[in-house]
Amino acid sequence: MDSSLYVLVEDLRGVDAARILAHGVSSITVGAAYHRARDVTPHGRSRVTFRHDGVHFPLDGHFDGLRLVPPVREGADEGPLRALRDETRALGVPLHGWGVFLHNTTLGLADPDVTQENCFGDRAAPADLCPSHPDVRAYAVALGRAIARQGMDSVVAESLHFGTFGHGYHHERSFVQLGPAAEFALGLCFCEHCRRRVPGTDAAREAASRLAESVLDGGPTAEEIPDVLAEFARARTPIVTSLAAEVADAVAAEGSRLTFVDLTGAMKGYADGLPTGEPAAADAWQVGIDPAALAGAVPSYAVLCYAREAARIGEDVAAYRAALGTGTELRAVLRPGHPDTTSAEHLAAKVEAARASGADTVDFYQYGLAPLPVLDRIAMR
């Protein structure tokens, strides 16, 4: 069974493939295209690492003729992905290319019209590229193809769906208690391309603005998402499914395969590992994801099991397995340390829960962010 450890290029400086694999995994998932972030990196060459939007490989014509072209990161001309590919081939292990697709602040600030437009007409989420926009779709297909051409066994596609209000920029403030419903409403996109593709846009936009205005004007918060907004959000799922299918086809044409990353588990448990409510699969529609439909579009599907309790992980994985059926590979991604996991025994119990509930593979997130003793838990599981 393939088990992979996620790693970012900045964290590879002075680290070879064998050292990463020694943590008890059988493959590596490397960040070929990532977004800006400031990370505490406990065992890195720098203890706090600032990451930029962009790709870690030369463009080599992959984006010729496209409006959206990713920034190229410093050191890409040194070929860090090719070097890692050579190492993993020599060791006889797979290498997966991880890309963040529609979360890119640099591109969104340069061309605001390709970002999501909220119910008030604001382009206030520069990191969230809209999957309805033709230029964004062309960029996503080209990015998938470009990552595959780095010799990757698979392309792991993160953020290949709509964004949420809570993660639209790198530094966000709100001194208003929005509540779940208003926050959801503010994260919906009503750009011209969504209006063309999604029925009921006018009614949904009016309902979203009315709900958000009530809270912003000092009214009470609401827990429940109005039916009109839920119906609108569910009607967006074909946009994401069709885009994932286009990217999967492009990747397959390069001799690789696509893994679609569903971030719903992170939406529910990222901060504290304590997700509540229904299993993540039941809430994936909120960002335009329909797992059952995607099962026919992609060969592999990854879910972020950011939870402390093994039982919750089992519940989430079982729900995704039921939605996906048996023909799609299901990869469960766990965090081996804070805030989800306290020991090697705790991690082992969660790995077992994921496998027993239908996960084909258990992967781990991620090398540079976890202290070395935490990474040692993976091999001890």
Side-chain angles (χ1 to χ4, degrees), residues 105-128:
T105 305
T106 301
L107 293 181
L109 288 174
D111 290 286
D113 69 287
V114 305
T115 64
Q116 295 185 189
E117 177 184 336
N118 70 20
C119 57
F120 299 117
D122 305 320
R123 302 281 184 170
D128 292 333

Side-chain angles (χ1 to χ4, degrees), residues 57-254:
F57 52 85
L59 296 184
D60 291 339
H62 298 312
F63 298 86
D64 283 358
L66 298 186
R67 179 185 177 195
L68 301 180
V69 178
V72 178
R73 297 309 328 136
E74 182 180 357
D77 58 343
E78 299 171 7
L81 301 183
R82 292 291 184 180
L84 187 60
R85 175 71 281 185
D86 290 344
E87 291 178 27
T88 52
R89 280 200 178 118
L91 294 168
V93 300
L95 179 64
H96 310 292
W98 166 30
V100 175
F101 278 66
L102 308 189
H103 189 76
N104 191 306
T105 305
T106 301
L107 293 181
L109 288 174
D111 290 286
D113 69 287
V114 305
T115 64
Q116 295 185 189
E117 177 184 336
N118 70 20
C119 57
F120 299 117
D122 305 320
R123 302 281 184 170
D128 292 333
L129 311 185
C130 178
S132 292
H133 198 293
D135 291 336
V136 172
R137 295 174 75 88
Y139 165 75
V141 170
L143 181 59
R145 184 181 295 116
I147 294 173
R149 286 180 178 172
Q150 308 310 305
M152 301 297 167
D153 292 285
S154 75
V155 174
V156 180
E158 179 184 333
S159 296
L160 195 60
H161 51 71
F162 286 95
T164 64
F165 178 73
H167 194 48
Y169 195 56
H170 67 279
H171 187 76
E172 298 168 311
R173 291 179 290 198
S174 174
F175 297 126
V176 178
Q177 188 174 356
L178 295 172
E183 183 169 326
F184 175 76
L186 284 171
L188 294 172
C189 182
F190 298 98
C191 73
E192 62 174 307
H193 302 286
C194 283
R195 294 198 298 271
R196 290 174 188 164
R197 288 175 172 267
V198 186
T201 304
D202 291 341
R205 186 170 194 163
E206 181 180 348
S209 59
R210 186 168 57 247
L211 173 61
E213 281 177 343
S214 174
V215 175
L216 294 174
D217 289 342
T221 62
E223 295 288 325
E224 297 297 322
I225 297 170
D227 288 345
V228 63
L229 297 187
E231 291 169 3
F232 172 76
R234 291 182 187 277
R236 304 183 303 170
T237 58
I239 296 170
V240 172
T241 301
S242 63
L243 177 57
E246 291 177 27
V247 176
D249 287 345
V251 167
E254 299 298 329

Side-chain angles (χ1 to χ4, degrees), residues 161-369:
H161 51 71
F162 286 95
T164 64
F165 178 73
H167 194 48
Y169 195 56
H170 67 279
H171 187 76
E172 298 168 311
R173 291 179 290 198
S174 174
F175 297 126
V176 178
Q177 188 174 356
L178 295 172
E183 183 169 326
F184 175 76
L186 284 171
L188 294 172
C189 182
F190 298 98
C191 73
E192 62 174 307
H193 302 286
C194 283
R195 294 198 298 271
R196 290 174 188 164
R197 288 175 172 267
V198 186
T201 304
D202 291 341
R205 186 170 194 163
E206 181 180 348
S209 59
R210 186 168 57 247
L211 173 61
E213 281 177 343
S214 174
V215 175
L216 294 174
D217 289 342
T221 62
E223 295 288 325
E224 297 297 322
I225 297 170
D227 288 345
V228 63
L229 297 187
E231 291 169 3
F232 172 76
R234 291 182 187 277
R236 304 183 303 170
T237 58
I239 296 170
V240 172
T241 301
S242 63
L243 177 57
E246 291 177 27
V247 176
D249 287 345
V251 167
E254 299 298 329
S256 188
R257 64 199 297 265
L258 186 75
T259 295
F260 180 92
V261 179
D262 185 328
L263 296 181
T264 310
M267 289 164 48
K268 296 172 76 71
Y270 179 86
D272 56 11
L274 295 172
T276 59
E278 293 187 280
D283 290 332
W285 59 269
Q286 295 186 19
V287 287
I289 295 174
D290 180 348
L294 279 162
V298 302
S300 177
Y301 199 100
V303 297
L304 305 189
C305 297
Y306 290 177
R308 296 185 192 179
E309 299 299 325
R312 175 68 193 211
I313 288 173
E315 183 182 8
D316 276 346
V317 171
Y320 276 110
R321 176 48 76 200
L324 293 169
T326 58
T328 303
E329 179 188 54
L330 178 57
R331 307 182 73 102
V333 183
L334 307 185
R335 294 185 292 192
H338 178 80
D340 298 344
T341 309
T342 57
S343 67
E345 294 76 17
H346 187 195
L347 182 61
K350 296 201 293 184
V351 169
E352 177 56 32
R355 288 177 172 164
S357 300
D360 297 300
T361 296
V362 178
D363 301 327
F364 302 95
Y365 184 88
Q366 64 105 321
Y367 175 78
L369 302 186

